[in-house]
């Protein structure tokens, strides 16, 4: 779940540093006031500066109340406890769909072998839901108070938040009044909104999608024309012939206009290729030209053109997002500077132009909620100025330390006096020793593959695991020895400072424990080693688990192969930066799953009892529990359609049982998931890979840091591209603050 942020108030407005909605009649003296005509106390100014710096760190909007009570409430609202409670409430209310009727609480999805799922009594899930809704009411009330009525009335997200809560509470009241027997729960469709409104990154992503829709619609129109043209041409080319045995299979794809349109739409995704072409090709080889031309224009040209357009529109989204983030950070730190520069002592105004005393800034930094590394770096930077007041530019430069992430240096190796131990330390600490370990692990993997091939046709109870058991014992002993030798060479702290060693050591320990358990239960391997099952797992299950862990351990080779390591680190970085896109995908899946449950539940009837026969849609390629369509089955169905592999099976099954209108649902899901979301994901992945593989984006040493090497953050990586806000833009935006009046 995406980490909550502030409201996505467009700080750039109409133009960055634009006038916005500024209150008129500002004074012309230099002071900072919590309310007109009142001079803020020394403690209040410190608290204001603390909150503004925390806003800058988190890239939050500063357009909130700044009086003492509001500042306390604001910090409490963004505390870990409060935000954790809010996130838990969002997770809990989304999870209710898996417990509510129809429930997904069953081990197997096959309706032939499972017992009826447990259905919660009326009032159980409703009680949990109303508690979550009350948390959201408190969340909305707090936001409305902190940002003010004017901001609330102009913010569409907050107004929509209010509307969703009202509808949800009314629908909840109706459910309780009808003893949970209502045919439709509207509030289930609205639950994903709570996830969306709590993440500014998701809001920005939706805005990016909205900006890209006109360009996507133009290509979509070309696709529609292309599809309709070839559908009409195919109907004229293939339909109307004699329905003999040779043509019957070919006629199934072009029997009528809807079937022909569906067949070519599926062919556009290449899901039914070559099924749709082979019958016609068998009758006349020249018919293949029709399908080849259709695929070339539609799949290879227009679909890739759509991907290119989405990428070209989306690549600027990252820059704009970073520009907004940079402006928010500069605005927050500048607001803190203005607050601190108006004070020299407790309650004493400072002369104009003096700047910020380092002692006051140190007092602020000690109260700021920040990780220890960055806080210590900021404090050291401030101390380097001594007692000289800080100018605005110097104040801003101090917070450049937030853009740095230190690359932890490995602890020094232990020092041994004996020449023999020193030689052993050099030998076992050399990277060639890692290569030897990788080679041994590869040999272990090859041995497992050989036995899997040799015993492919042998039942588990008839297998003789003597040789494989002996080999696994030898390999595991080597892994333990390798781990101990590395600890000897690097020291325990040095060994644990490498993530690859932590991964390797953890799996080696688990393998050792599992091997000892196997030997303790089933004794030492010997010819004809096929003992009866004892305990929780049979010998074959123990061997399988052991082999799976050995295969998983082979991933240790990734850090030793530079190209693979760069790709792996890029993928991990993508995962960390994909929270907004993952949240959007969760929302889309959730909404379409709930719609599908309401549309198709009960249409495909499950067979009575535990009969082995199932309706056609529930066999082979479709999930068996589609007959009842609980949420989990709905999600699996949507996933299968999204990957467009044989998705025509779902189209045909639901068309036969519910009617041709069901195609609208599945085609809409294909457009949203496979066409829009997948292409947006591809655009983000390309953007990240291009910058990750740029030689200038690798580790760099910043000016003034001779000993420490820092890894560039995303904002710092693009600092040469981003436009730095100027003095006028910052002061003009601060003058528009509704609750913080700067008088010059």
């Amino acid at each position: 779940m995406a980490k909550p942020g502030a409201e996505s108030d467009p700080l750039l407005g109409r133009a960055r540093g634009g006038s916005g909605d500024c209150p008129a009649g500002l004074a012309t003296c230099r002071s900072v006031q919590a309310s007109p005509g009142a001079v803020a106390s020394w403690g209040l100014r410190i608290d204001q500066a603390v909150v503004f710096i925390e806003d800058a760190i988190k890239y939050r909007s500063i357009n909130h109340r700044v009086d003492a009570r509001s500042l306390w409430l604001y910090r409490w609202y963004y505390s870990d406890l409060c935000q954790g409670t809010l996130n838990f409430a969002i997770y809990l209310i989304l999870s209710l769909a898996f417990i509510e009727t129809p429930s997904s609480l069953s081990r197997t999805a096959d309706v032939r072998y499972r017992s009826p799922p447990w259905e919660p009594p009326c009032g159980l899930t409703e009680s949990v839901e109303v508690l979550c809704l009350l948390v959201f009411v408190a969340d909305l009330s707090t936001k409305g108070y902190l940002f003010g009525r004017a901001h609330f009335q102009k913010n569409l997200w907050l107004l929509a938040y209010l509307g969703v809560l009202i509808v949800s509470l009314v629908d909840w009241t109706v459910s309780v009044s009808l003893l949970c027997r209502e045919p439709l729960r509207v509030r289930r469709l609205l639950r994903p909104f709570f996830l969306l409104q709590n993440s500014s990154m998701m809001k920005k992503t939706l805005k990016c999608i909205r900006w890209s829709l006109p360009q996507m619609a133009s290509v979509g129109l070309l696709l529609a024309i292309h599809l309709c043209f070839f559908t009409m041409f195919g109907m004229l080319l293939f339909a109307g012939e004699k329905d003999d045995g040779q043509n019957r299979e070919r006629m199934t794809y072009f029997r009528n206009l809807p079937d022909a349109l569906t067949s070519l739409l599926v062919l556009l995704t290449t899901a039914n290729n070559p099924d749709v072409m082979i019958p016609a090709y068998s009758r006349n080889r020249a018919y293949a030209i029709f399908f080849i031309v259709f695929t070339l224009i539609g799949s290879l040209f227009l679909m890739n053109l759509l991907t290119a357009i989405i990428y070209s529109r989306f690549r600027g989204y990252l820059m704009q997002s970073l520009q907004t983030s940079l402006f928010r950070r500069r605005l927050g730190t500048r607001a803190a500077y203005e607050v601190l520069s108006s004070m020299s002592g407790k309650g004493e105004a400072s002369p104009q132009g003096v700047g910020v005393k380092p002692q006051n800034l140190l007092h602020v930094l000690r109260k700021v909620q920040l990780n220890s590394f960055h806080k210590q770096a900021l404090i050291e930077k401030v101390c380097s100025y001594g007692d000289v007041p800080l100018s605005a530019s110097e104040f801003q430069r101090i917070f450049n330390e937030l853009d740095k992430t230190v690359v932890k240096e490995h602890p020094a190796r232990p020092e041994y006096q004996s020449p023999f131990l020193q030689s052993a330390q050099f030998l076992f600490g050399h990277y060639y020793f890692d290569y030897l370990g990788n080679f041994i692990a590869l040999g272990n993997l090859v041995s497992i593959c050989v036995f899997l091939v040799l015993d492919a046709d042998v039942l588990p109870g008839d297998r003789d695991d003597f040789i494989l058991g002996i080999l696994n014992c030898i390999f595991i002993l080597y892994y333990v020895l390798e781990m101990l030798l590395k600890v000897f060479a690097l020291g325990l702290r040095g060994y644990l400072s490498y993530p690859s060693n932590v991964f390797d050591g953890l799996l080696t320990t688990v393998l050792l424990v599992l091997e000892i358990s196997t030997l303790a239960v089933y004794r030492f391997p010997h010819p004809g080693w096929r003992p009866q099952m004892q305990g929780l797992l049979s010998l074959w299950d123990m061997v399988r688990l052991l082999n799976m862990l050995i295969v998983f351990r082979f991933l240790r080779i990734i850090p030793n192969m530079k190209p693979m390591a760069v790709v792996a680190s890029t993928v991990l970085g993508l995962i960390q930066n994909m929270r907004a896109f993952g949240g959007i995908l969760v929302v889309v899946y959730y909404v379409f799953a709930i719609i599908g449950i309401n549309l198709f539940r009960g249409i495909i009837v499950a067979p009575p009892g535990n009969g082995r026969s199932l309706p056609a849609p529930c066999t082979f390629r479709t999930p068996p529990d589609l007959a009842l369509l609980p949420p989990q089955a709905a999600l699996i169905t949507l996933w299968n359609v999204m990957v467009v592999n044989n998705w025509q099976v779902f189209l045909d099954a639901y068309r036969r049982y519910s009617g041709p209108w069901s195609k609208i649902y599945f085609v809409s899901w294909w457009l949203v998931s496979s066409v829009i979301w997948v292409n947006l994901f591809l655009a983000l992945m390309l953007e990240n890979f291009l910058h990750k593989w740029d030689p200038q984006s690798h580790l760099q040493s910043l000016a003034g840091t001779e000993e420490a090497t820092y890894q560039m953050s995303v904002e710092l990586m693009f600092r040469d591209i981003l436009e730095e806000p100027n003095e006028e833009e910052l002061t003009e935006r601060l003058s528009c603050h509704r609750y913080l009046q700067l008088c010059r």
Side-chain angles (χ1 to χ4, degrees):
M1 185 175 297
K3 187 176 181 179
E7 293 297 318
S8 58
D9 183 46
L11 286 179
L12 296 180
R14 303 166 190 147
R16 211 184 56 207
S19 59
D21 298 325
C22 300
L26 295 179
T28 57
C29 61
R30 179 177 177 84
S31 65
V32 180
Q33 299 177 349
S35 60
V39 179
S41 66
W42 187 88
L44 176 60
R45 295 177 186 178
I46 291 294
D47 291 339
Q48 289 174 345
V50 168
V51 170
F52 287 146
I53 290 176
E54 290 178 348
D55 288 339
I57 294 171
K58 300 295 184 181
Y59 303 107
R60 295 195 297 245
S61 171
I62 66 169
N63 297 322
H64 51 76
R65 298 178 186 268
V66 292
D67 59 275
R69 184 177 61 177
S70 299
L71 291 176
W72 176 88
L73 179 62
Y74 185 83
R75 297 194 74 191
W76 175 83
Y77 175 76
Y78 282 109
S79 64
D80 293 338
L81 176 62
C82 185
Q83 292 300 313
T85 302
L86 182 59
N87 287 335
F88 178 74
I90 294 173
Y91 170 79
L92 193 60
I93 199 170
L94 291 177
S95 302
L96 290 179
F98 296 95
I99 304 175
E100 297 170 332
T101 304
S103 174
S104 297
L105 299 179
S106 60
R107 181 177 182 272
T108 176
D110 198 328
V111 295
R112 298 171 296 179
Y113 306 109
R114 77 179 186 192
S115 58
W118 176 78
E119 300 292 347
C122 181
L124 179 61
T125 58
E126 286 73 17
S127 300
V128 176
E129 184 177 15
V130 75
L131 291 177
C132 296
L133 292 177
L134 291 177
V135 172
F136 300 145
V137 170
D139 175 56
L140 179 62
S141 302
T142 304
K143 286 181 178 178
Y145 170 76
L146 290 176
F147 290 92
R149 178 181 299 179
H151 175 84
F152 187 93
Q153 294 174 348
K154 293 187 300 180
N155 192 294
L156 296 180
W157 282 101
L158 291 180
L159 294 176
Y161 197 2
L162 177 62
V164 168
L165 281 175
I166 292 175
V167 173
S168 298
L169 289 172
V170 171
D171 191 59
W172 180 88
T173 305
V174 172
S175 296
V176 175
S177 302
L178 297 178
L179 299 179
C180 309
R181 296 176 182 175
E182 74 282 8
L184 177 65
R185 295 187 178 185
V186 179
R187 64 185 184 276
R188 297 182 75 184
L189 282 172
L190 303 178
R191 288 172 183 171
F193 179 84
F194 301 125
L195 177 63
L196 276 179
Q197 66 83 28
N198 203 46
S199 170
S200 59
M201 286 302 298
M202 289 190 195
K203 298 173 187 176
K204 293 177 183 178
T205 304
L206 287 178
K207 185 181 295 185
C208 171
I209 295 175
R210 187 186 65 187
W211 289 342
S212 304
L213 282 179
Q215 286 71 23
M216 289 190 287
S218 62
V219 181
L221 181 61
L222 286 177
L223 280 171
I225 295 174
H226 167 73
L227 192 62
C228 293
F229 173 80
F230 275 87
T231 298
M232 298 299 297
F233 197 82
M235 287 290 296
L236 296 173
L237 188 62
F238 302 123
E241 298 187 5
K242 184 178 179 181
D243 190 14
D244 53 17
Q246 187 176 5
N247 293 326
R248 186 172 295 113
E249 185 180 5
R250 175 170 53 87
M251 294 287 292
T252 58
Y253 297 102
F254 294 91
R255 181 182 295 109
N256 50 53
L257 188 61
D259 288 345
L261 188 64
T262 302
S263 299
L264 290 182
L265 176 62
V266 176
L267 181 60
L268 194 65
T269 64
T270 68
N272 61 350
N273 183 63
D275 297 345
V276 69
M277 181 182 71
I278 293 302
Y281 175 74
S282 301
R283 175 65 183 272
N284 191 328
R285 295 179 184 273
Y287 285 159
I289 300 176
F290 171 84
F291 297 98
I292 293 174
V293 173
F294 174 82
T295 304
L296 284 174
I297 297 177
S299 300
L300 302 182
F301 177 70
L302 291 179
M303 292 298 290
N304 289 318
L305 178 62
L306 180 63
T307 302
I309 289 178
I310 292 177
Y311 172 67
S312 64
R313 293 291 299 173
F314 182 78
R315 63 177 307 185
Y317 161 70
L318 178 62
M319 294 296 105
Q320 184 179 11
S321 177
L322 295 178
Q323 185 69 62
T324 304
S325 299
L326 176 63
F327 189 82
R328 285 192 170 188
R329 172 161 290 182
R330 294 293 182 258
L331 188 63
T333 53
R334 184 53 186 264
Y337 172 81
E338 294 291 342
V339 168
L340 294 176
S341 63
S342 64
M343 51 183 289
S344 59
K346 295 187 178 181
E348 181 182 352
S350 65
Q352 184 173 353
V354 169
V356 174
K357 287 188 175 183
Q359 295 84 350
N360 292 336
L361 181 55
L362 288 174
H363 188 78
V364 169
L365 292 177
R366 292 189 180 97
K367 298 181 64 176
V368 170
Q369 294 181 358
L370 187 62
N371 65 74
S372 58
F373 165 74
H374 283 117
K375 179 177 288 189
Q376 184 62 31
L378 290 173
I379 291 176
E380 292 178 358
K381 190 73 173 179
V382 174
C383 292
S384 65
Y385 287 92
D387 295 330
V388 180
L390 303 172
S391 64
S393 58
E394 293 172 337
F395 192 89
Q396 291 281 11
R397 282 198 298 269
I398 288 175
F399 290 92
N400 288 338
E401 300 293 322
L402 297 173
D403 295 322
K404 303 174 184 178
T405 302
V406 71
V407 179
K408 296 182 179 179
E409 297 182 355
H410 301 290
R413 297 186 178 186
E415 298 180 0
Y416 298 104
Q417 302 299 327
S418 171
F420 173 77
L421 294 180
Q422 292 177 355
S423 301
Q425 182 184 32
F426 173 80
L427 178 64
F428 299 125
H430 200 274
Y431 62 89
Y432 281 166
F433 188 63
D434 287 333
Y435 293 159
L436 176 62
N438 293 337
F439 181 77
I440 298 296
L442 178 62
N444 194 357
L445 199 65
V446 170
S447 67
I448 294 175
C449 293
V450 169
F451 280 94
L452 287 176
V453 173
L454 295 177
D455 296 338
D457 298 328
V458 181
L459 295 177
D462 298 332
R463 294 184 179 182
D464 188 353
D465 295 318
F466 166 63
I467 299 179
L468 184 59
I470 291 295
L471 289 177
N472 282 344
C473 286
I474 296 174
F475 282 119
I476 291 174
L477 287 176
Y478 174 80
Y479 298 153
V480 174
L481 179 63
E482 179 189 23
M483 179 181 67
L484 295 177
L485 291 176
K486 284 187 176 181
V487 172
F488 159 77
L490 304 176
L492 182 59
R493 292 183 57 199
Y495 178 85
L496 296 177
S497 66
Y498 292 88
S500 59
N501 286 342
V502 175
F503 171 81
D504 189 19
L506 179 62
L507 284 181
T508 300
T509 304
V510 174
L511 286 172
L512 179 62
V513 173
L514 189 59
E515 182 67 19
I516 293 175
S517 301
T518 303
L519 297 179
V521 175
Y522 295 104
R523 306 303 181 218
F524 198 77
H526 56 272
W529 194 35
R530 292 189 292 270
Q532 296 296 324
M533 178 178 174
Q534 301 180 27
L536 298 177
L537 298 175
S538 65
L539 176 62
W540 169 238
D541 292 332
M542 299 280 279
V543 172
R544 279 196 306 169
L545 182 58
L546 200 68
N547 291 338
M548 284 190 290
L549 292 175
I550 290 173
V551 172
F552 187 59
R553 182 183 178 275
F554 190 68
L555 295 177
R556 55 167 278 170
I557 69 170
I558 291 179
N560 299 116
M561 303 180 66
K562 295 301 182 182
M564 189 183 299
V566 173
V567 173
S569 63
T570 306
V571 171
L572 291 177
L574 279 173
I575 294 175
Q576 296 173 356
N577 295 324
M578 283 295 294
R579 289 179 297 180
F581 274 82
I584 295 292
L585 186 62
V586 168
V587 169
V588 174
Y589 260 97
Y590 196 99
V591 171
F592 270 86
I594 296 299
I595 293 175
I597 291 173
N598 291 320
L599 290 178
F600 303 115
R601 182 186 175 195
I603 289 179
I604 302 176
V605 182
N610 284 336
R612 299 258 176 180
S613 61
L614 280 174
C618 295
T619 59
F620 189 53
R621 291 174 180 169
T622 55
D625 58 353
L626 289 182
L628 300 178
L629 208 65
Q632 189 174 6
L635 295 176
I636 296 299
T637 302
L638 294 176
W639 171 263
N640 291 330
V641 174
M642 188 181 78
V643 298
V644 296
N645 185 23
N646 290 320
W647 68 299
Q648 72 275 10
V649 176
F650 295 90
L651 291 176
D652 180 66
Y654 282 95
R655 177 192 61 81
R656 287 188 284 114
Y657 280 84
S658 61
W661 59 268
S662 62
K663 294 181 180 179
I664 300 176
Y665 171 81
F666 288 102
V667 172
S668 300
W669 168 248
W670 168 73
L671 287 173
V672 171
S673 61
S674 295
V675 176
I676 297 179
W677 191 89
V678 171
N679 281 292
L680 282 173
F681 170 76
L682 181 61
L684 179 66
M685 184 176 64
L686 288 175
E687 190 73 21
N688 277 268
F689 263 99
L690 288 176
H691 289 287
K692 280 282 187 179
W693 285 75
D694 186 356
Q696 296 182 354
S697 66
H698 291 303
L699 296 180
Q700 301 180 16
S701 294
L702 301 181
T705 57
E706 299 178 356
E707 298 181 356
T709 301
Y710 292 92
Q711 186 175 8
M712 312 293 280
S713 67
V714 177
E715 288 79 9
L716 197 56
M717 187 187 306
F718 299 111
R719 187 57 50 84
D720 294 336
I721 303 175
L722 300 179
E723 182 181 354
E724 192 74 24
N726 56 43
E727 182 81 9
E728 290 75 15
E729 291 172 330
L730 295 175
T731 55
E732 183 177 0
R733 183 55 59 88
L734 285 176
S735 67
C736 298
H737 198 290
R738 187 172 299 274
Y739 303 104
L740 181 69
Q741 296 186 6
L742 298 177
C743 303
R744 294 182 178 277

